[in-house]
Amino acid sequence: MTERLDYLNAYRQQFDAQVLAIEDRAGVPAVLLDRTCFYPTSGGQLHDTGLLGGVPVIDVVAEEGEVWHLLATSPSFAAGERVVGAIDWPRRYDHMQQHSGQHLLSQLIHQRYGFETVSVHFGREESTLDLNTAETPPAFLSEIEQAANELAYLALEIRAYFVDEQEVRRLPLRRPPAVSGLIRIVEIDGYDYSACGGTHVRTTAEIAPIKLLRLERRRHQTRLTFLCGLRACRDYAEKHRLLTETAGLFSTEIAAVPAMVQRMQAQMRELEHKHMELQRRLLSQETAALVAAAPRVGDVAIVEYLSPDASVEALKQMAALLREQPRCVGLLASTVEGKATLVFCRSDDVVLHVGEVLREALATFGGRGGGRPEYAQGGGAPAAAVAAVLAEARRRCEEALA
Ligand SMILES: [Zn+2]
């Protein structure tokens, strides 16, 4: 058994203890002590880190009453010796603020809305609690956040003590205890009673500020993400910095940023629209010039077009424009991004199956494609062979139209 000093005083940062055993766990030294301040991962709360005999503690696990400290390197101390331990206090205090905050929030949400906390998770950046509800009222976040901070400012005392199974029945626990025998209770001064082995702050004042970040629907539950204490302060500082920077980019004040962004979005949409319109006009002029200059078989113009950078969309738009012209065949290709793309088309008044022309011309060069008599698309041939594919296609068109 390891005596849990963290149970007696969560604020104790240093201790000395006797080394009971040292084991090798797949190359990682694991140390068992007769007593410890190091909190082992349990009840959703992450383990402590720190130093044991000057060696970094990288993990702490509890195994049937024994607390094992996993070390970064082999220790210079041996079993039977006394050793000094010190926990990483900022990390531990952060865990205490989050954990006490979770108890306060779970009770508050239960009292106000009747939602139960079904699970909790304390992460490195954010903490979450899952509520047994798929729906929350619209003002839920702001109401709970305000009330939780007000409760924090009452500086309600938080105490931990052990009770037996008889006594525990008299306590209004939020959830039934998961363990039997002696049960550790963490009480927020008559407000909340939880069966919990975690480390907690002395009063609710140390939890503030409490910031609720967001709600996410997860099947039949709702996940609430929150920050307490210094985490909330750091988050506020970071968000303030980001907003100030953003406002600076717009040469305006923070309050004007959303309106400014909306205005820019509207301008962007308008510019995009104008850009599309100009592109359409340009394409239409280019297409007309191509048709005028195209060689003819009889009165049918055969437009051949090979671009190194035209998108598939541009080729399709050109094909649509060519199809509006009388007596016209379009053999369009692009080698954009090193890929061969071909789009063939003809006007309705030309008797020719461009789908077959494309399929046959491409097949010679290992490509694939085909389509309807008036429109076809293909690719797969080497980009270097596209000019040859177009020449082959032109030969086939001339033959068919002659
Ligand atoms: Zn707890």
Side-chain angles (χ1 to χ4, degrees):
M1 286 291 280
T2 306
E3 190 191 351
R4 294 284 297 268
L5 301 171
D6 57 301
Y7 280 170
L8 303 169
N9 177 6
Y11 287 77
R12 184 160 176 181
Q13 300 172 30
Q14 292 198 8
F15 66 102
D16 68 294
Q18 187 168 22
V19 179
L20 297 181
I22 301 178
E23 277 181 6
D24 180 275
R25 296 191 175 181
V28 179
V31 179
L32 176 65
L33 301 175
D34 66 340
R35 58 185 209 151
T36 189
C37 280
F38 280 89
Y39 183 82
T41 297
S42 50
Q45 186 181 326
L46 280 169
H47 65 85
D48 289 332
T49 57
L51 294 172
L52 192 61
V55 183
V57 175
I58 53 172
D59 196 2
V60 187
V61 292
E63 293 165 355
E64 292 169 5
E66 296 183 336
V67 178
W68 288 86
H69 307 71
L70 278 64
L71 305 183
T73 56
S74 290
S76 55
F77 54 80
E81 290 180 23
R82 289 202 79 76
V83 70
V84 172
I87 61 170
D88 176 340
W89 178 246
R91 173 183 161 100
R92 154 66 82 75
Y93 190 64
D94 169 56
H95 292 169
M96 286 159 62
Q97 287 185 311
Q98 312 314 312
H99 199 154
S100 299
Q102 177 262 311
H103 283 208
L104 185 80
L105 283 168
S106 290
Q107 179 63 248
L108 175 64
I109 292 166
H110 180 67
Q111 286 194 11
R112 291 257 173 141
Y113 296 98
F115 305 148
E116 305 271 356
T117 298
V118 289
S119 61
V120 298
H121 175 75
F122 303 105
R124 278 181 208 284
E125 308 280 332
E126 298 175 342
S127 303
T128 60
L129 53 86
D130 291 341
L131 300 168
N132 69 339
T133 177
E135 304 271 344
T136 47
F140 181 79
L141 277 187
S142 55
E143 265 181 42
I144 293 295
E145 185 177 292
Q146 168 94 13
N149 281 294
E150 282 169 6
L151 271 169
Y153 298 143
L154 293 178
L156 302 174
E157 194 191 332
I158 302 176
R159 316 177 263 276
Y161 47 84
F162 285 89
V163 294
D164 62 26
E165 286 175 58
Q166 292 290 326
E167 289 169 280
V168 83
R169 287 197 202 105
R170 288 199 291 272
L171 294 176
L173 288 188
R174 226 179 335 103
R175 304 182 71 191
V179 289
S180 54
L182 271 185
I183 294 155
R184 187 168 185 260
I185 301 298
V186 173
E187 177 189 342
I188 303 178
D189 202 17
Y191 182 73
D192 179 65
Y193 296 82
S194 298
C196 175
T199 54
H200 290 268
V201 293
R202 288 191 188 104
T203 80
T204 57
E206 289 173 75
I207 303 169
I210 299 164
K211 180 67 202 164
L212 308 190
L213 293 181
R214 61 189 168 274
L215 291 170
E216 288 157 273
R217 172 96 178 265
R218 300 171 76 86
R219 294 188 178 198
H220 305 299
Q221 296 177 357
T222 299
R223 174 161 292 182
L224 166 64
T225 303
F226 64 94
L227 305 171
C228 297
L230 284 171
R231 278 193 197 195
C233 291
R234 282 195 295 269
D235 183 63
Y236 178 74
E238 176 62 5
K239 286 183 178 154
H240 183 73
R241 186 188 70 75
L242 286 171
L243 261 183
T244 306
E245 201 179 304
T246 309
L249 290 173
F250 291 118
S251 306
T252 186
E253 56 204 43
I254 285 177
V257 167
M260 196 66 114
V261 171
Q262 274 178 341
R263 205 156 70 219
M264 280 196 66
Q265 281 176 328
Q267 278 172 356
M268 192 98 95
R269 276 194 296 272
E270 203 185 305
L271 283 174
E272 255 169 43
H273 188 76
K274 277 188 186 155
H275 175 76
M276 297 264 287
E277 174 60 23
L278 283 173
Q279 222 175 16
R280 200 191 58 78
R281 273 196 225 167
L282 187 69
L283 208 60
S284 138
Q285 278 173 14
E286 269 181 8
T287 312
L290 282 172
V291 172
R296 282 166 165 73
V297 177
D299 62 346
V300 178
I302 301 183
V303 174
E304 196 179 315
Y305 175 77
L306 172 57
S307 160
D309 54 12
S311 66
V312 185
E313 271 322 299
L315 293 187
K316 283 181 179 176
Q317 278 178 26
M318 260 180 98
L321 289 165
L322 284 174
R323 295 221 339 102
E324 287 169 9
Q325 303 279 329
R327 312 294 288 157
C328 179
V329 173
L331 309 175
L332 317 175
S334 164
T335 53
V336 66
E337 288 165 5
K339 268 172 57 188
T341 305
L342 294 102
V343 174
F344 287 7
C345 65
R346 65 149 169 82
S347 351
D348 287 336
D349 57 3
V350 175
V351 181
L352 177 73
H353 198 304
V354 296
E356 276 171 17
V357 172
L358 180 64
R359 186 170 50 78
E360 286 160 10
L362 262 176
T364 329
F365 298 91
R368 285 166 61 98
R372 303 188 301 271
E374 75 285 1
Y375 181 86
Q377 219 179 306
V386 173
V389 176
L390 287 178
E392 173 63 19
R394 166 184 291 281
R395 196 187 60 71
R396 285 175 183 273
C397 288
E398 284 168 354
E399 209 175 86
L401 291 168

